Amino acid sequence: MNTPDTPLAGLRIVECATFVAGPSGGMALAQLGAEVIRVDLPQGGGDHGRWPVAPSGASLYWNNLNKGKRSVALDFRTPEGRELLTALATAEGPANGIYLDNVAGRTRLRYDELTERRRDVIHVHVQGKPDGKPAVDYTANAEVGVPDMTGPQDHAAPVNHVLPAWDFLTGMTAATGVLAALHRRAATGEGSGIAVALSDVALAAVGNLGWLAEARFAGRGRPRHGNHTFGSFGVDFPTADGRRVMVLALTPGQWDALCAATGTTEVFKALEPVFDADLSTESDRYRLRDTIEAILRPWFEGRGLAEIGERLDHARVLWGPYRDTHEAATLALADPGSIVTEIDQPGVGAMAASAGPLRWSGSTQPPRPAPLLGADTDEVLSRDLGLSAAELGRLHDAGLVSGPAPSEH
Amino acid sequence: MNTPDTPLAGLRIVECATFVAGPSGGMALAQLGAEVIRVDLPQGGGDHGRWPVAPSGASLYWNNLNKGKRSVALDFRTPEGRELLTALATAEGPANGIYLDNVAGRTRLRYDELTERRRDVIHVHVQGKPDGKPAVDYTANAEVGVPDMTGPQDHAAPVNHVLPAWDFLTGMTAATGVLAALHRRAATGEGSGIAVALSDVALAAVGNLGWLAEARFAGRGRPRHGNHTFGSFGVDFPTADGRRVMVLALTPGQWDALCAATGTTEVFKALEPVFDADLSTESDRYRLRDTIEAILRPWFEGRGLAEIGERLDHARVLWGPYRDTHEAATLALADPGSIVTEIDQPGVGAMAASAGPLRWSGSTQPPRPAPLLGADTDEVLSRDLGLSAAELGRLHDAGLVSGPAPSEH
């Protein structure tokens, strides 16, 4: 049923993708109520065992990137398996005919093939580079210049991000593409063949920040500036109890609040004429960032996190504590309003898992477990392609499809 | 007209948002053909002059985050201006009634108010935290544990990312929310009130990678591991000519290719029994990452980037060179297939700008310039709200709306 928090209920999406980008895009659609059928090879994709893993050995990565999907396992590298995948991707009915993949190489289903089977099919193809050459988050990031700007100011080498930011952004861009194509299909009856490349997503984003234009005007890339926020005032401070906080003053009001909280209003007022600066402007706060940091640091070094937090909150300073993922997970699990809850994940047991971040009328669908590999093979092939029990038995015997072992059922 | 690369043509979205998240989400919809009307205060929002800036002083940040939008400048903090914004957000017709904002505080338009004016209105509200408390990319990042895992292994302090990854992912999530709500409105006639918080987007993503579950099982956060790719083999190497490359072996095939390209196949075969390792598995490559790096490094240090690139490409190794943004921009501008082109941006001049990354049937809409502040104030208020020239004159005289100075027209 289409409820306020399942706006895509009734849609059926066939996903044949591995790792982060494609699967996270498919999961975003599943978290909005669509039925998303992830198709894997019978032994699982290259991501099926990826780290981190649970004590049971099951992948926490796979199980968290495929929550709430259905799983069909079939060998789409064989002609018969490829035909089954094609039939699933182009099944009849207004809910069907939506295919999201990141398959590379000769066996992948191409849009022009799919349109022969269903004229208005929607195909979103996630790839590394727009010409089909391989790229992953870490190479796309290096090539677009972000690691070159990241890290401690005195560090000689580029610093990789740990978060696969481009993968996630590509996945959500692919989800947007699916929905835009659906809008177009509803409006015009036309299908869509769409490609989205990690390297394009990265170029688009650094372009959108003005970084490409900046570099062209400057004739060089921007130098590394440590933990400082570019173009404004924001930096981290250590506390007396071994913690660390990120503190920002992006607006004049936030700057006044920071000065008031730390008792430095008069200090900075006196400093402005010395530096010919107007610290109510972001550009002058950025120019004098090292001085501001040096003046404020003792205030933070002399207090514990709890006192700092109280004082900054009271003065409405924009700040946040640094945490590790353990503290972040533990706090989120203890917060009844959080999107993170513990679910019972087959193959793992109790597992901290997050819901989607879109809150519809204040609520969000709680996270649902990921399927066991092939859990829905028989049901989906029978329901959507009309395969009989005898036909399914033959496919299993031939190793062309797989499902969970009987004990897992 | 709804063409293959303007699937949202005919839709009209009112955006009242500043900085990256909201505006990048609105721009994604504009790049898919929707008319996106950005509403600002008459003097511009807090982001209007944000760095980086062009030699002319105009913001390269603002002009790249608002490409292809229309601009209306009105003082929505006054009762009369707020009423104009409400009327725009709830205008009649199937194309209208879509409102995207990140306004905080008492003056912001609330979903329940908007529904009184248009029952099926769609409102996507971008915020810092789900309870309305402030957060920005840099505080959300700190709180979710990413800087704690980022940076050189021997570095004692957390390392901030430079890319506002959460802002971009929140923006694209908001765009997905708009389109999912449109799908629901078409299917059921119902509107939607949706909130998306930066802190939820960050929690959802680290949860989706399995990092929260991992930390709960481990009882602690994951230690920093430098530029190494977690759970597999991937790291950077310096070259003989002062460059640096990112090299990965995520799959058994990529590992074989890397060994073949560097002539180390027999070395690693001989090492496997010594370490009781099977280097065709990601987990053993990760366990032995420092050893692998040390064995491969001289091969890279002894060659220049051009030779390394040829050899790695020939062997089908997954790799990419590190660049700064200047090299990235210059290469993209020289590539006729790139989404980056130079456009004539009012207030800036020739400016490198990126199109959206979704390629529809192989093509993407070229980037369009950003509007001058208030460029469309009179036309939009007259077209959508039926204001007369006399009424517009009064609003201008009262300082409630603004448009570009006549010389800018």
Side-chain angles (χ1 to χ4, degrees):
Chain A
M1 214 184 71
N2 195 312
T3 60
D5 54 0
T6 57
L8 304 183
L11 285 182
R12 196 173 289 162
I13 293 152
V14 177
E15 174 198 301
C16 192
T18 49
F19 297 100
V20 179
S24 68
M27 189 166 69
L29 300 170
Q31 287 171 329
L32 295 171
E35 179 182 334
V36 176
I37 301 165
R38 173 166 164 148
V39 179
D40 278 293
L41 294 170
Q43 69 276 24
D47 58 345
H48 194 246
R50 196 140 217 271
W51 283 26
V53 292
S56 70
S59 169
L60 295 171
Y61 171 100
W62 197 93
N63 280 301
N64 275 287
L65 280 162
N66 295 288
K67 293 186 296 271
K69 295 181 188 174
R70 310 197 72 178
S71 172
V72 166
L74 61 84
D75 191 354
F76 52 82
R77 291 186 183 158
T78 65
E80 190 171 358
R82 192 169 184 279
E83 166 57 28
L84 291 170
L85 177 59
T86 306
L88 276 178
T90 57
E92 279 175 31
N96 294 323
I98 310 171
Y99 181 58
L100 170 65
D101 84 323
N102 78 339
V103 183
R106 277 174 308 131
T107 53
R108 81 179 188 89
L109 308 187
R110 299 186 169 276
Y111 176 59
D112 52 4
E113 287 177 282
L114 294 171
T115 54
E116 283 171 24
R117 299 284 283 268
R118 179 173 171 148
R119 200 187 48 79
D120 67 353
V121 71
I122 291 166
H123 178 195
V124 177
H125 178 58
V126 173
Q127 54 189 3
K129 298 198 175 183
D131 60 5
K133 287 191 181 144
V136 292
D137 186 282
Y138 308 97
T139 59
N141 197 43
E143 293 189 2
V144 88
V146 175
D148 184 67
M149 300 162 66
T150 305
Q153 213 151 350
D154 54 0
H155 193 67
V159 172
N160 288 356
H161 59 199
V162 172
L163 178 80
W166 304 121
D167 277 333
F168 278 120
L169 189 56
T170 299
M172 199 57 82
T173 303
T176 298
V178 165
L179 296 178
L182 266 168
H183 180 82
R184 176 167 156 79
R185 186 160 88 181
T188 68
E190 301 287 330
S192 292
I194 308 167
V196 55
L198 275 175
S199 64
D200 273 349
V201 168
L203 262 184
V206 298
N208 292 345
L209 291 165
W211 293 357
L212 299 180
E214 173 193 25
R216 292 288 295 177
F217 280 117
R220 62 182 182 106
R222 185 194 298 169
R224 209 167 266 132
H225 53 267
N227 275 353
H228 283 281
T229 303
F230 177 71
S232 193
F233 182 76
V235 79
D236 57 320
F237 292 102
T239 71
D241 50 355
R243 297 293 301 258
R244 200 169 273 265
V245 292
M246 178 71 197
V247 178
L248 296 105
L250 305 177
T251 65
Q254 289 165 355
W255 171 244
D256 290 345
L258 178 57
C259 295
T262 54
T264 55
T265 304
E266 293 309 316
V267 177
F268 288 112
K269 209 167 271 171
L271 267 174
E272 285 185 323
V274 176
F275 286 101
D276 191 20
D278 172 2
L279 292 174
S280 73
T281 66
E282 290 197 277
S283 52
D284 276 355
R285 290 198 294 280
Y286 183 64
R287 179 160 66 87
L288 296 184
R289 62 191 181 278
D290 291 332
T291 308
I292 298 172
E293 181 189 2
I295 289 171
L296 294 178
R297 195 185 301 117
W299 188 89
F300 290 92
E301 286 176 337
R303 290 168 173 79
L305 177 63
E307 183 190 341
I308 288 170
E310 266 172 45
R311 293 205 186 202
L312 297 186
D313 280 342
H314 182 75
R316 297 177 173 272
V317 172
L318 180 59
W319 77 285
Y322 285 83
R323 296 184 180 127
D324 64 17
T325 47
H326 184 258
E327 188 182 11
T330 304
L331 287 173
L333 286 169
D335 171 5
S338 163
I339 56 169
V340 179
T341 53
E342 211 164 63
I343 64 173
D344 183 24
Q345 173 60 51
V348 172
M351 178 180 86
S354 47
L358 287 164
R359 296 178 186 246
W360 298 69
S361 305
S363 82
T364 180
Q365 286 280 312
R368 291 173 291 159
L372 289 171
L373 186 68
D376 307 293
T377 301
D378 290 5
E379 193 191 322
V380 168
L381 294 184
S382 143
R383 182 195 66 183
D384 296 356
L385 304 184
L387 296 198
S388 67
E391 287 167 313
L392 287 169
R394 185 184 61 77
L395 291 172
H396 277 280
D397 292 345
L400 288 173
V401 305
S402 76
S407 67
E408 294 179 307
H409 260 116
Chain B
M1 214 184 71
N2 195 313
T3 60
D5 55 359
T6 58
L8 304 183
L11 285 182
R12 195 173 289 162
I13 293 151
V14 176
E15 173 198 301
C16 192
T18 50
F19 296 101
V20 179
S24 68
M27 189 165 70
L29 300 170
Q31 287 172 329
L32 294 171
E35 178 182 334
V36 176
I37 302 165
R38 171 166 166 150
V39 178
D40 277 294
L41 293 171
Q43 70 277 23
D47 58 345
H48 195 247
R50 196 141 217 271
W51 283 25
V53 291
S56 70
S59 169
L60 294 170
Y61 170 101
W62 197 93
N63 280 301
N64 276 287
L65 280 162
N66 295 287
K67 294 187 294 272
K69 295 181 189 174
R70 310 196 73 179
S71 172
V72 167
L74 61 83
D75 191 355
F76 52 82
R77 290 186 182 158
T78 65
E80 190 172 358
R82 192 170 184 281
E83 166 57 29
L84 290 171
L85 178 58
T86 306
L88 276 178
T90 58
E92 281 175 28
N96 294 322
I98 311 171
Y99 181 59
L100 170 65
D101 84 324
N102 78 340
V103 183
R106 277 174 308 133
T107 54
R108 81 179 187 90
L109 308 188
R110 298 185 170 277
Y111 176 60
D112 53 4
E113 287 177 281
L114 294 172
T115 54
E116 283 171 25
R117 299 283 284 269
R118 178 172 172 150
R119 199 186 49 77
D120 66 353
V121 72
I122 291 166
H123 178 195
V124 177
H125 179 58
V126 174
Q127 53 190 3
K129 298 197 175 182
D131 60 6
K133 285 191 182 145
V136 292
D137 186 282
Y138 308 96
T139 60
N141 197 43
E143 293 189 1
V144 89
V146 175
D148 184 68
M149 300 163 65
T150 305
Q153 213 152 350
D154 55 359
H155 192 66
V159 172
N160 288 356
H161 59 198
V162 172
L163 178 80
W166 303 122
D167 278 333
F168 278 120
L169 189 56
T170 299
M172 199 58 82
T173 303
T176 298
V178 165
L179 296 178
L182 265 168
H183 180 81
R184 175 167 157 79
R185 185 160 89 181
T188 68
E190 301 286 331
S192 292
I194 308 167
V196 55
L198 275 174
S199 64
D200 274 348
V201 168
L203 262 183
V206 297
N208 292 345
L209 291 165
W211 293 358
L212 299 180
E214 173 193 25
R216 292 288 295 176
F217 280 116
R220 63 183 181 104
R222 185 193 299 169
R224 208 168 268 131
H225 52 266
N227 275 353
H228 283 282
T229 301
F230 177 72
S232 192
F233 182 75
V235 78
D236 57 320
F237 291 101
T239 71
D241 50 355
R243 296 292 301 257
R244 200 168 273 265
V245 291
M246 178 72 197
V247 178
L248 297 105
L250 304 177
T251 66
Q254 289 165 357
W255 171 245
D256 290 344
L258 178 56
C259 295
T262 55
T264 55
T265 305
E266 294 308 316
V267 177
F268 287 112
K269 209 167 271 173
L271 267 175
E272 285 184 325
V274 177
F275 286 101
D276 192 21
D278 173 2
L279 292 174
S280 73
T281 67
E282 289 196 276
S283 51
D284 277 355
R285 289 197 296 277
Y286 183 63
R287 179 161 66 85
L288 296 184
R289 61 191 181 279
D290 291 332
T291 307
I292 298 172
E293 181 189 3
I295 289 171
L296 295 179
R297 194 184 303 117
W299 189 88
F300 290 92
E301 286 176 336
R303 288 168 174 80
L305 177 62
E307 183 190 340
I308 289 170
E310 266 172 46
R311 293 205 185 201
L312 297 185
D313 280 342
H314 181 75
R316 297 177 175 270
V317 174
L318 180 59
W319 77 285
Y322 286 84
R323 298 185 179 126
D324 65 17
T325 47
H326 184 259
E327 188 182 9
T330 304
L331 286 173
L333 286 169
D335 171 5
S338 164
I339 56 168
V340 179
T341 53
E342 210 163 63
I343 64 173
D344 184 23
Q345 173 59 50
V348 172
M351 179 180 86
S354 47
L358 287 164
R359 295 178 185 246
W360 299 68
S361 305
S363 82
T364 179
Q365 285 281 307
R368 290 173 291 159
L372 289 170
L373 185 68
D376 307 292
T377 301
D378 290 5
E379 192 191 323
V380 168
L381 294 184
S382 144
R383 181 195 68 184
D384 295 357
L385 304 183
L387 296 199
S388 67
E391 287 168 314
L392 288 168
R394 186 184 61 77
L395 291 170
H396 277 280
D397 291 345
L400 288 173
V401 305
S402 76
S407 67
E408 294 179 307
H409 258 117

